[in-house]
Amino acid sequence: MSSPVPITIEQLETPGRRHAREIIIKGAAFLAALVSVLISVLIVFSLFREAWTFMSQIEWAKTWGEIGWFPRRGIYDVPTLLVSSLIVTAVAMIVAMPIGLGAAIYLSEYAKPKVRKILKPTLEILAGIPSVVLGFFALTFLAPNVVARIGGDAGGSLMAAGMGVGILSIPLVASISEDAMRSVPRELREASAGLGARKVTTTTRVVLPAAVSGLVAAFIVAVSRAIGETMVVFLAGGATDAAIFNSSPFDGGLTMTAAMASLASGTDSVVGEGLTFQSLYFVGLMLFLITLVLNIIGNSFVARVREKY
Amino acid sequence: MAFTQPLVSANDRQRIEANVTGSRVDVAGAAFKGLLMLALAFSLAVIGLLIATVVVDGWDQIGTRLGGFLNGTLRSLSDSDRLGVHQGLYGSLWIGVFVAVLAFPIGISAAIYLEEYAKQTRFNSFLQLIIRNLAGVPSVVYGLLGLYLFVNDGWIKDNITNGRSVISAGLTLAILVLPIVIITAQEAFRSVPSGLKEGAYGVGATQWDMIRTQMLPYAAPGILTGTLLSMSRAIGEAAPLILIGAISGGLTANPGFTDLGALDERFTAMPILITTWTQNSGRDAGFSTAAAAAIVVLLVFVLLLNLVAIILRNRFENRRSS
């Protein structure tokens, strides 16, 4: 470290170079913060602009009903995508909620500090695994070894994709719900134990109800994450390029995100009938709005937990 | 006056003791605990199973010809002895550079503004809200933004990105991780004790002097953790790259890793190779092996970044709490 330069009274009194530097730095930091606003504006602008072109030019009569999603032939049946997305999300939550919550309860209420210190980072490794990798795992391992045994196809299916997305969501569910349970004051647990309650009673009747907004937040944020997940459903969802309407988890289907990915990865990229390119932005806008609403609700639940205790 | 007679008779005392400490097993409690452990064990087993699967599947490539695989190029057939991931590594490396050069400085500056300069105005809480929501926007949507901004015809395409290029990919992923960098840096700054700040002001430091000499060094480990995690996120992300048109065939020969000329050409990246090879495995089963091998290569980078970040965080948490 260099030796400190003494500061004179004049320097402190007059707005000199030090003062000018402060203003410049503050301005630069403000501009950096503004970049986020700019990005948001650009996202909303591009989505709305192209989606508007799509919506104003499409033949709506041809678009709704149980037809399917064939963008290159000009058939854009939105419910086909929505139903597939919902099926994947439902399967994912059935996998992720109990397992994530169970892991969280164990880490927060039962694990000794030393054990926790090892297990928690290990669980975080699962969070760091890229979703393409889980897509590969879902298609090459889960589909033939798990889905095929419970009555499905050994190839890709919404079930396999849902399981993959579920595994992906476990760390997210676990970390939000663990935070919520750890923020429950110790006194509540001690009071419960003092009344003679067993550990299991304390956990299920005292800690879980006290942490309920955090658990709801974990659920909502995980749903939002599952709807927006792309690579697992794209690789393991079992439908490429186009899909007919399907409401069975054991068949292949095209979710909103997979529809976008497969349209963009076609050999000729995004060409086809006139509005194919714009349809990407229309689906993107739906996805953006759905996840935005879910995230706002989820965040407000997280905020409630933090304020309460 | 002392009690000569115990309040409870010896007989009662024994019965009460037996009730409190007795050998009754708490069946429900044990079952509950067992279920919880099962949940955790399942999650850990998945990690192990996943890693074992890809290592076994990819062994034909990484075990027998690792050097060739790392230096090889894209091929239309999987049994070619020149098949490999070099072009993917090139793309991923430069995407990482873009993220480090763009997202980190802008994100950390934004966090400094929000934590240190911003007053409690409506506009600033609006900024906070925007950043939190941006962090939850699905990554495909960022791909749409990249497609719109950097790939489509316009000034940016003509003068900066040249369309579907590493530059477009790097810019898109820098935008994608920016909110994550801001949020983790903010948390790191928030953990700086106010005593440190007040001490700096007390000896006549200006706000920037204080930030530079006290806040930044104290928060550095936290910021580093966040940046490592977002770097690994960027390297593993595939969806936005598919949208902006990363490809897996017809690329020019291997560029050197410092070859800037290839930055504005068509490109690929590790996650894209994995995606395409997985899709091609139906037509040519050998691509499944190649995809698994590419996953091993990607996981080595991504998990290493994660591991370092987690270890760093735990170390600094311990040091401060003790």
Side-chain angles (χ1 to χ4, degrees):
Chain A
M1 259 209 185
S2 57
S3 60
V5 183
I7 299 164
T8 62
I9 300 291
E10 285 75 32
Q11 272 180 318
L12 290 174
E13 279 174 353
T14 50
R17 275 170 62 192
R18 269 159 64 92
H19 186 69
R21 193 186 61 180
E22 288 301 306
I23 291 176
I24 292 170
I25 287 166
K26 185 179 176 181
F30 179 65
L31 284 182
L34 271 190
V35 171
S36 313
V37 180
L38 181 71
I39 293 169
S40 306
V41 170
L42 284 170
I43 289 180
V44 172
F45 176 75
S46 60
L47 289 177
F48 269 102
R49 200 182 130 168
E50 300 296 327
W52 176 251
T53 314
F54 178 80
M55 287 187 283
S56 56
Q57 291 183 19
I58 196 176
E59 297 169 59
W60 286 99
K62 209 172 150 187
T63 307
W64 295 88
E66 299 190 0
I67 308 166
W69 183 261
F70 300 97
R72 281 170 216 278
R73 284 196 269 136
I75 298 172
Y76 306 100
D77 174 50
V78 176
T80 303
L81 303 185
L82 281 177
V83 168
S84 296
S85 280
L86 285 179
I87 292 173
V88 167
T89 307
V91 174
M93 289 306 107
I94 291 171
V95 173
M97 276 314 282
I99 294 172
L101 204 56
I105 297 175
Y106 184 79
L107 287 177
S108 146
E109 304 299 313
Y110 284 87
K112 294 189 179 72
K114 263 189 184 167
V115 179
R116 190 172 167 276
K117 215 172 248 174
I118 300 168
L119 288 184
K120 209 184 169 197
T122 320
L123 197 60
E124 276 165 1
I125 286 183
L126 185 60
I129 290 177
S131 61
V132 244
V133 176
L134 270 163
F136 176 86
F137 183 69
L139 184 66
T140 61
F141 186 86
L142 294 180
N145 294 315
V146 182
V147 180
R149 298 224 170 114
I150 54 174
D153 218 26
S157 62
L158 290 176
M159 187 61 121
M163 287 176 176
V165 177
I167 291 172
L168 203 72
S169 315
I170 290 174
L172 185 73
V173 173
S175 93
I176 301 180
S177 21
E178 204 218 348
D179 277 350
M181 280 183 280
R182 283 170 75 80
S183 72
V184 173
R186 222 189 139 75
E187 290 82 352
L188 287 185
R189 297 185 182 89
E190 282 163 2
S192 167
L195 290 173
R198 289 173 303 166
K199 181 110 187 165
V200 55
T201 319
T202 305
T203 304
T204 53
R205 301 275 179 84
V206 177
V207 178
L208 287 183
V212 76
S213 16
L215 307 184
V216 173
F219 177 72
I220 295 171
V221 173
V223 166
S224 157
R225 173 82 194 273
I227 290 180
E229 214 303 306
T230 308
M231 295 320 293
V232 178
V233 289
F234 180 48
L235 287 175
T240 47
D241 266 359
I244 50 164
F245 184 85
N246 161 38
S247 57
S248 157
F250 288 112
D251 294 329
L254 207 58
T255 65
M256 289 190 282
T257 51
M260 291 158 74
S262 56
L263 195 55
S265 71
T267 46
D268 45 4
S269 282
V270 194
V271 294
E273 198 169 276
L275 290 169
T276 323
F277 177 80
Q278 284 79 8
S279 79
L280 265 181
Y281 284 80
F282 177 69
V283 180
L285 180 65
M286 284 198 299
L287 182 68
F288 176 75
L289 293 178
I290 294 173
T291 51
L292 183 70
V293 169
L294 286 172
N295 285 328
I296 290 174
I297 300 173
N299 283 339
S300 76
F301 270 103
V302 173
R304 206 180 294 176
V305 181
R306 286 199 182 134
E307 280 159 19
K308 213 167 173 181
Y309 298 112
Chain B
M1 182 181 126
F3 291 106
T4 46
Q5 202 74 355
L7 287 171
V8 187
S9 74
N11 205 6
D12 285 346
R13 190 197 166 105
Q14 256 180 3
R15 275 216 337 265
I16 294 169
E17 254 184 25
N19 265 330
V20 174
T21 62
S23 56
R24 278 184 310 163
V25 182
D26 178 7
V27 180
F32 185 64
K33 191 177 173 185
L35 277 178
L36 298 180
M37 289 175 87
L38 205 66
L40 195 60
F42 176 87
S43 326
L44 303 183
V46 167
I47 302 175
L49 194 62
L50 192 146
I51 290 172
T53 311
V54 290
V55 170
V56 170
D57 285 2
W59 192 251
D60 269 356
Q61 293 285 356
I62 48 162
T64 53
R65 53 177 291 267
L66 182 62
F69 188 69
L70 291 177
N71 288 313
T73 53
L74 296 165
R75 296 277 145 186
S76 53
L77 289 173
S78 67
D79 55 4
S80 161
D81 59 358
R82 282 185 291 166
L83 178 79
V85 294
H86 183 94
Q87 290 137 323
L89 286 174
Y90 177 84
S92 289
L93 173 89
W94 279 100
I95 286 169
V97 170
F98 269 88
V99 168
V101 169
L102 288 174
F104 295 167
I106 296 179
I108 294 165
S109 309
I112 289 178
Y113 175 77
L114 290 167
E115 283 308 303
E116 208 35 53
Y117 291 109
K119 299 197 176 65
Q120 283 286 339
T121 60
R122 275 187 145 179
F123 179 74
N124 287 323
S125 49
F126 171 68
L127 259 181
Q128 283 286 358
L129 185 76
I130 279 195
I131 290 165
R132 213 161 338 126
N133 283 319
L134 273 182
V137 171
S139 58
V140 248
V141 175
Y142 283 97
L144 285 178
L145 179 71
L147 179 64
Y148 186 85
L149 270 186
F150 306 131
V151 178
N152 268 2
D153 290 317
W155 188 88
I156 296 179
K157 180 189 173 180
D158 294 340
N159 292 289
I160 301 175
T161 62
N162 193 27
R164 304 171 188 282
S165 65
V166 182
I167 301 175
S168 298
L171 291 172
T172 307
L173 287 181
I175 291 177
L176 175 99
V177 299
L178 184 65
I180 311 171
V181 175
I182 297 178
I183 290 172
T184 49
Q186 270 186 284
E187 265 162 29
F189 286 137
R190 239 173 267 152
S191 73
V192 178
S194 52
L196 269 185
K197 300 182 186 179
E198 284 153 13
Y201 289 134
V203 295
T206 63
Q207 201 164 9
W208 172 243
D209 291 332
M210 184 283 289
I211 293 170
R212 191 169 45 89
T213 59
Q214 306 300 319
M215 252 174 74
L216 277 175
Y218 189 92
I223 295 175
L224 192 61
T225 307
T227 48
L228 286 175
L229 287 177
S230 48
M231 176 70 87
S232 98
R233 165 100 192 262
I235 289 176
E237 197 62 79
L241 301 186
I242 289 186
L243 266 287
I244 62 171
I247 50 166
S248 45
L251 288 175
T252 43
N254 284 354
F257 283 117
T258 51
D259 187 356
L260 297 174
L263 285 182
D264 62 355
E265 287 169 15
R266 301 225 47 175
F267 76 107
T268 191
M270 290 304 291
I272 299 298
L273 288 184
I274 295 165
T275 308
T276 330
W277 285 345
T278 307
Q279 288 178 317
N280 287 350
S281 59
R283 160 176 74 76
D284 176 345
F287 274 123
S288 188
T289 309
I295 286 175
V296 175
V297 176
L298 178 67
L299 279 183
V300 166
F301 286 105
V302 168
L303 292 186
L304 213 61
L305 283 171
N306 269 275
L307 206 66
V308 174
I310 291 168
I311 291 172
L312 259 179
R313 197 190 51 205
N314 285 354
R315 252 183 82 181
F316 283 94
E317 263 177 12
N318 289 347
R319 190 184 291 177
R320 273 173 200 156
S321 60
S322 63

